Amino acid sequence: MAPRSTTLLGLVLCLGQTVRFQMGARPKPSISAEPGRTIPLGQNVTFVCRSPQSFSLFRLIKDSKIVIKDEKNTSPDQTEMRFPMGPVEASMAGRYSCVYLTSQVWSDHSEELELVVTAEEVTQASDPDPALPSVPTFPKHTVSNSIRLGLAGVVLLILAAILAEAWYSEPKSQ
C-alpha cells in the first residue's frame, strides 16, 4: 500500500511541476534608468527594460500596481524596450518594475528600481558604482545666500574703516 501512495504522490508532484512550467512565468526581465535613478525636477528619464528572450509586449509598472505604459515589440529579435518619460514631476518618484508577455504568458516582475526626484540640480548623471567612494555634492548658492554674503562683506568693510579711522586719529606720542 505504501508504494502506491508514494508513486501517486510523485506523479502528482511531477504533473504539478509540468503544469507550472507550461503555465508558469517567464524569466525575470531587468530594469534600469537613464541617465540614473536620481533625476532633477523637470528633466527627462528613460526606463530601459530588458528580457532574456524575445517578447510581444513590455509593461512598465509603478509601485507594484499602477500600469504606466504598454509597448509592443516591433522586431522579432528585440529583447529591450525603452520608456522615455518627462519632464519629471515630484509625483513620478516611486518604485518601478517591468514585466513582459510572450506566448500569452506574463513574466515575473523585474527587481524594483526606485526613482528619486530632486528639487536641485544633480551633478552625478548615473547610478553610483558601489565599489567607488562617493563624492560629496554641494548645493548651488541661492540668490538669498549671495545677498547675505554681500551684506556681511559690506559690514566688514565698515568695521575696517572705523578701526582705521580710530588708529590714525589717536594722538602720536613724541
Side-chain angles (χ1 to χ4, degrees), residues 54-147:
S54 183
F55 61 93
S56 55
L57 180 99
F58 242 117
R59 176 172 284 171
L60 181 63
I61 301 169
K62 181 181 178 198
D63 297 328
S64 300
K65 59 185 178 255
I66 303 166
V67 175
I68 301 297
K69 200 178 229 186
D70 285 340
E71 288 288 338
K72 290 184 179 180
N73 189 347
T74 56
S75 165
D77 297 331
Q78 187 174 355
T79 59
E80 175 181 289
M81 184 57 68
R82 301 176 76 76
F83 295 91
M85 300 175 75
V88 173
E89 299 173 2
S91 63
M92 294 172 74
R95 296 179 182 274
Y96 289 82
S97 62
C98 294
V99 292
Y100 64 93
L101 180 69
T102 182
S103 302
Q104 304 302 320
V105 178
W106 286 101
S107 69
D108 287 332
H109 283 253
S110 67
E111 298 296 322
E112 289 187 332
L113 178 143
E114 184 164 4
L115 182 71
V116 178
V117 178
T118 62
E120 301 225 5
E121 212 173 296
V122 175
T123 57
Q124 191 171 1
S126 62
D127 294 337
D129 184 351
L132 298 175
S134 63
V135 177
T137 58
F138 300 100
K140 293 170 63 177
H141 290 289
T142 60
V143 173
S144 61
N145 283 346
S146 298
I147 292 170

Side-chain angles (χ1 to χ4, degrees), residues 27-45:
K28 282 184 179 185
S30 64
I31 185 171
S32 61
E34 293 175 358
R37 295 176 182 212
T38 303
I39 304 294
L41 200 60
Q43 298 297 314
N44 295 327
V45 64

